[in-house]
Every structure is written in structure tokens, then in C-alpha cells.
Amino acid sequence: MSRPPAGQRSDYRAFSQITTRWLDNDAYGHMNNAMHYQLFDTAVNGHLIARSVLDFKAGETVFLVVETGCRYYGEIGFPDVVTAGLRVASLGGSSVRYEIGLFRNDETTARAEGHFVHVNVGRTSRRPVPLSQNVREVLQELCDDSGAVAP
């Protein structure tokens, strides 16, 4: 079974650094696969919070994860510093598909790449709500130049 080659830092539009922790390593001496998903969550939500388009405590809308996946290309573990690269692969009316690359220390080739689909929902109704113009503008900054944005 073939798979795509690991991506490069230059494939991503925004970056955040995340320090690994001792507890991230498993019995095999590397980061447990479940931790990669936590890094995806931290990178995506950290970006939204930093750009002031997510208020997870009091906002009228929140994002729920409806799909996620990961391809592993190499090990990461404590005490590595991970750089999470972020881009938007598709942008719908109330949803967004992020792609995240995890880079170990100063490496330029991803050790893991995943995707993360968020749906914007009403905080209390939990029903899909269209993305606001402000959120859409922030997400469009993460789209590649090929026009990955859906109408």
C-alpha cells in the first residue's frame, strides 16, 4: 500500500510551537499516537483563539470535531519541540477541514500529518451555524493559493 510522501514546512500557512512533555512518551520511548491528536487540537484552537475568532467560554458558537485522521512518518518524543503547521484544505458554509503537519525540532519534513474537520455550531443548540465573515476571513488566510476554498 502506497501513501503520499510527508509534507514540508513550506506546504503550511501558519505555525505554532508546542513543547512535548515527559508524559507524552509511551512504553516504547516515543510519543504515543493519541498525543498527536491533542497537538492537532492545540494547534487549531490555539490559532483561532489567538486570532480572536473563538471564545470557547462565552462565544455564541463553538466548533465541534466531526472527523480526524493522522499519517505517521517518524517518531516524536520528549524532549522534542514540535512545530505544528496549519492550513485549510476546504472551507464550507459552516465547516472547515484543517490539515496539520507536525515537525520535530528544526526539521523541514513532517513526522506526522493529519486532518481535522470542525463544524461551527450554536453553543446551546449544537446545530450547524454559518461561519461569520470574521471567522471566514481568518480561515481564508490559511487556504493555499490553488483556491481550496469552497463557496
Side-chain angles (χ1 to χ4, degrees), residues 5-12 15 17 73 75-76 81-87 100-113:
Q8 302 297 307
R9 281 187 194 242
S10 59
D11 297 330
Y12 293 89
F15 299 90
Q17 282 195 337
Y73 293 99
E75 295 181 354
I76 299 172
V81 173
V82 174
T83 298
L86 185 60
R87 65 184 175 215
I100 306 103
L102 301 180
F103 300 88
R104 180 179 171 263
N105 301 321
D106 293 326
E107 294 176 354
T108 59
T109 301
R111 291 291 182 118
E113 288 186 296

Side-chain angles (χ1 to χ4, degrees), residues 34-146:
M35 300 309 297
H36 294 71
Y37 291 94
Q38 291 184 20
L39 295 178
F40 296 163
D41 206 10
T42 297
V44 168
N45 288 304
H47 184 79
L48 297 175
I49 291 166
R51 296 300 312 275
S52 301
V53 294
L54 174 61
D55 179 351
F56 65 92
K57 291 182 181 178
E60 291 181 23
T61 63
V62 295
F63 289 100
L64 297 182
V65 175
V66 298
E67 179 182 321
T68 189
C70 185
R71 266 189 222 104
Y72 304 94
Y73 293 99
E75 295 181 354
I76 299 172
F78 178 82
D80 292 329
V81 173
V82 174
T83 298
L86 185 60
R87 65 184 175 215
V88 165
S90 62
L91 184 56
S94 61
S95 65
V96 57
R97 179 187 168 106
Y98 299 97
E99 293 178 342
I100 306 103
L102 301 180
F103 300 88
R104 180 179 171 263
N105 301 321
D106 293 326
E107 294 176 354
T108 59
T109 301
R111 291 291 182 118
E113 288 186 296
H115 70 274
F116 199 91
V117 177
H118 261 169
V119 174
N120 189 47
V121 300
R123 175 179 292 284
T124 56
S125 72
R126 294 300 206 242
R127 302 296 308 153
V129 174
L131 297 168
S132 71
Q133 185 61 32
N134 190 31
V135 171
R136 185 168 292 284
E137 289 172 6
V138 167
L139 296 175
Q140 285 175 327
E141 294 171 1
L142 298 174
C143 293
D144 67 23
D145 296 328
S146 69

